[in-house]
């Protein structure tokens, strides 16, 4: 169940969504910088307002960046476009084929997309997403085996999916982790950080001092990597600030 309401804080309109959750989560959405905060069902308005006021500088900074940043044109998936694979910039080259479709990297600088000449943008998008999923799927098992041993936990299952507001999630009860497909475009360090972050949740459910102490032990550079991710993300996890 979700209950929504509108809260005005220092001339900012903020959508408040009460849910069956334990932490406060704040997000700012393009294109107009709409602010939404998800809170535990019974949390008082006084506590909600106080939490928002404490983060007003961050909210205003992100809104300013969002509203001031020129909107990038939608990808057309035509030759010459820039695409990324694990942080490396690649130039797209589209080659028309009658039957077989797919994608591969050529000469470490070019992303080749094989597709039918009359294929719509949606088809090209789907082909590249499948290819990105394959690239990510090849990297995760080795990383997972290494970090399971380091952290001292074992997951029952991992999956990849597109997520709008999170880089990763963890089902602690079922020991299942999900990783965002967009991590295939980010640097390898970002993928490693998100993976370790979700594994540590199997030791500590909440983003408390114990959780971040574990992160300090297992991945001392996590702060720098998280900063890199925040440059790409408009989500602000209250509990990890």
């Amino acid at each position: 169940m979700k209950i929504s309401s509108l809260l005005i804080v220092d001339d900012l309109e903020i959508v408040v969504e009460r849910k069956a959750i334990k932490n406060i989560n704040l997000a700012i959405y393009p294109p107009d910088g709409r602010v939404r905060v998800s809170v535990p069902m019974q949390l008082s308005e006084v506590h909600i307002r106080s939490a928002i006021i404490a983060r007003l500088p961050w909210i205003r900074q992100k809104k300013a960046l969002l509203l001031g940043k020129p909107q990038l044109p939608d990808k057309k998936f035509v030759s010459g476009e820039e695409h990324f694979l694990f942080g490396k910039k690649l130039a797209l080259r589209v080659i028309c084929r009658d039957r077989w479709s797919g994608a591969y990297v050529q000469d470490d600088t070019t992303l080749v997309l094989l597709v039918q000449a009359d294929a719509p943008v949606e088809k090209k998008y789907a082909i590249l997403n499948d290819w990105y999923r394959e690239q990510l799927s090849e990297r995760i098992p080795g990383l997972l085996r290494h970090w399971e041993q380091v952290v001292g936990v074992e997951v029952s299952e991992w999956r990849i999916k597109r997520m709008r507001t999170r880089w990763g999630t963890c089902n602690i009860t079922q020991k299942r982790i999900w990783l965002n497909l967009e991590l295939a475009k980010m640097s390898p360090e970002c993928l490693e950080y998100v993976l370790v972050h979700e594994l540590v949740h199997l030791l500590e459910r909440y983003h408390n001092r114990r959780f971040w102490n574990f992160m300090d032990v297992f991945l001392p550079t996590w702060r720098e990597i998280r900063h890199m991710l925040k440059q790409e993300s408009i989500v602000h996890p209250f509990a990890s600030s």
Side-chain angles (χ1 to χ4, degrees), residues 10 32 35 43 63 153 210:
D10 197 22
D32 57 355
V35 183
L43 194 66
K63 281 179 67 71
V153 297
R210 182 169 181 261

Side-chain angles (χ1 to χ4, degrees), residues 80-234:
E81 276 186 350
E82 291 182 351
H83 291 258
F84 289 83
L85 175 64
F86 296 120
K88 184 176 180 61
K89 182 167 64 176
L90 301 171
L92 185 66
R93 180 188 176 198
V94 179
I95 299 177
C96 296
R97 290 286 177 89
D98 290 335
R99 297 181 181 178
W100 190 79
S101 61
Y104 63 91
V105 174
Q106 183 180 63
D107 300 329
D108 205 33
T109 60
T110 305
L111 173 56
V112 178
L113 173 62
L114 303 174
V115 67
Q116 291 181 341
D118 59 349
V121 169
E122 293 79 9
K123 178 62 175 178
K124 297 177 182 178
Y125 176 73
I127 292 172
L128 280 183
N129 268 352
D130 287 343
W131 179 76
Y132 275 121
R133 187 178 297 273
E134 291 173 3
Q135 307 310 303
L136 201 54
S137 296
E138 290 178 3
R139 290 222 177 188
I140 291 173
L143 273 177
L144 185 60
R145 284 193 298 270
H146 169 75
W147 284 107
E148 281 180 327
Q149 293 179 4
V150 172
V151 178
V153 297
E154 185 174 345
V155 301
S156 62
E157 184 181 14
W158 60 268
R159 296 183 184 181
I160 300 168
K161 68 176 179 178
R162 290 185 60 84
M163 291 181 275
R164 187 176 63 177
T165 62
R166 295 180 183 274
W167 290 110
T169 62
C170 177
N171 184 314
I172 297 172
T173 303
Q174 299 181 5
K175 295 186 177 181
R176 177 190 299 133
I177 63 173
W178 296 81
L179 299 170
N180 196 321
L181 179 61
E182 291 297 301
L183 286 168
K185 302 173 185 177
M186 306 296 293
S187 71
E189 293 83 3
C190 292
L191 171 59
E192 191 168 40
Y193 162 74
V194 175
L195 182 61
V196 174
H197 184 113
E198 301 310 326
L199 289 177
V200 170
H201 273 305
L202 297 179
L203 298 177
E204 172 54 56
R205 177 185 297 266
Y206 303 110
H207 288 138
N208 53 25
R209 181 173 297 180
R210 182 169 181 261
F211 178 93
W212 297 113
N213 284 343
F214 277 132
M215 291 297 295
D216 284 334
V217 172
F218 299 133
L219 192 65
T221 59
W222 68 266
R223 290 175 180 83
E224 292 81 1
I225 303 171
R226 185 180 68 169
H227 179 73
M228 292 170 56
L229 277 173
K230 281 189 174 182
Q231 304 310 303
E232 302 296 329
S233 176
I234 59 172

